Amino acid sequence: MLDIEFSQVSDPGRTRVHNEDYVDYLAPASPEEARSRGWLFALADGVGGHDFGEVASRAAVEKLISGFRQARGGEPHTALLPRLVQAANTHVFETAMATRKTGAPMATTLVTCALRFDRAVIAHVGDSRCYHVRNGQARQLTRDHTVANEQIRLGLIAAGEADGLPTSSILSRSLGNEMFVVVDSSEHHVIGGDVLLLCSDGLHHSIRETDIGEIVSHATDLQSAADKLVSIANQRDGRDNISVQLIRIKSVERVGMYRGRPYRLL
């Protein structure tokens, strides 16, 4: 059976009064539920400068987790997670319409990871990220939904030119701005010893992939690794909220898929 350990930290940073990030998770209540539903982790970053950013991030994560808890057991995460993120988007949009007083929008990023058997499904909107750490090397699994990244994709600028541009921090996609949103998702095999890291831009704007791989791999435990990552981000910048979730895969249950149903591999 899939066995994991995890830690999470959400810090307001050195200059902001409010923390507009929100992190949470849903653990299975039994081994049977671990096989039928699995684990869920989620991290959201309320869009800075928008009214009720902290309301948007919390609403998105709570809606996502509620939907995951109520989902039919055995439903493939590849279909379930994008649907739940879309529902979270609608919920944030409708919450904004109900509470808006000044006409300012309510929006948030969202990155989420569902784990079951030997697979992780990642879904996200915005520039909160997920990294995969194996053998001391960190690899980004998500693509930032920013104006600068869209310019790179269209060939308007080179990848190396994006750093430092104002458009590198302007979101091209987020939850809550429209009734519908395009959700990016991907599925990845995991093995014992792998670590998945979810974070807001307050962390990844200050810490390189090489730093992430080294810190996570050499820490004595996940909590000290999370605390160290947040501490370094605060030392190097600290102007934004900083949140991180670390999930270590201790062991997996290897499965194959036949007509959408898992079967155990020997």
Side-chain angles (χ1 to χ4, degrees):
M1 186 180 72
L2 176 67
D3 186 18
I4 71 173
E5 59 180 337
F6 65 93
S7 66
Q8 59 186 28
V9 177
S10 187
D11 187 271
R14 297 193 304 167
T15 62
R16 295 197 175 187
V17 176
H18 301 292
N19 189 349
E20 295 184 325
D21 291 357
Y22 191 77
V23 299
D24 206 352
Y25 67 93
L26 182 64
S30 65
E32 293 75 19
E33 192 171 299
R35 290 189 173 94
S36 66
R37 183 167 289 113
W39 294 74
L40 182 72
F41 295 86
L43 182 152
D45 177 1
V47 176
H50 284 184
D51 282 0
F52 305 111
E54 67 275 15
V55 176
S57 59
R58 182 168 188 150
V61 171
E62 289 183 345
K63 181 67 174 179
L64 177 82
I65 288 178
S66 174
F68 193 80
R69 181 183 289 114
Q70 297 170 16
R72 172 178 55 84
E75 182 174 357
H77 288 164
T78 50
L80 176 61
L81 234 55
R83 176 168 60 81
L84 294 182
V85 173
Q86 188 66 249
N89 173 76
T90 302
H91 179 59
V92 174
F93 180 82
E94 291 176 345
T95 301
M97 295 296 291
T99 61
R100 185 177 302 159
K101 297 179 179 179
T102 63
M106 180 188 293
T108 183
T109 71
L110 179 65
V111 59
T112 181
C113 172
L115 296 124
R116 184 169 54 192
F117 301 120
D118 59 351
R119 299 176 190 191
V121 174
I122 314 298
H124 82 291
V125 176
D127 64 351
S128 293
R129 293 180 179 177
C130 180
Y131 291 90
H132 175 231
V133 183
R134 179 181 292 174
N135 298 326
Q137 302 294 316
R139 178 172 63 95
Q140 184 179 338
L141 299 182
T142 53
R143 179 179 65 88
D144 293 351
H145 298 144
T146 61
V147 173
N149 259 3
E150 293 302 320
Q151 292 172 325
I152 293 171
R153 185 178 64 83
L154 295 171
L156 300 177
I157 62 174
E161 298 174 351
D163 294 340
L165 289 177
T167 53
S168 64
S169 58
I170 299 176
L171 294 177
S172 59
R173 211 184 300 176
S174 60
L175 295 190
N177 281 323
E178 304 288 345
M179 181 64 77
F180 300 99
V181 70
V182 177
V183 181
D184 284 358
S185 64
S186 57
E187 183 180 36
H188 309 271
H189 280 86
V190 291
I191 61 175
D194 286 355
V195 175
L196 295 166
L197 180 151
L198 279 62
C199 68
S200 60
D201 63 343
L203 185 87
H204 67 69
H205 279 174
S206 305
I207 299 184
R208 300 182 299 270
E209 285 187 5
T210 52
D211 297 327
I212 290 173
E214 182 175 350
I215 291 168
V216 170
S217 299
H218 290 90
T220 55
D221 59 84
L222 287 185
Q223 190 60 52
S224 63
D227 291 339
K228 186 172 184 179
L229 288 166
V230 171
S231 176
I232 292 174
N234 267 320
Q235 292 170 16
R236 293 180 180 175
D237 190 347
R239 291 175 295 175
D240 200 356
N241 306 146
I242 306 163
S243 296
V244 60
Q245 290 180 308
L246 289 172
I247 308 138
R248 175 178 286 131
I249 313 300
K250 298 173 69 175
S251 64
V252 300
E253 182 176 353
R254 296 181 63 241
V255 300
M257 300 295 293
Y258 178 72
R259 294 184 176 179
R261 295 182 177 274
Y263 61 91
R264 185 177 300 178
L265 297 174
L266 300 179

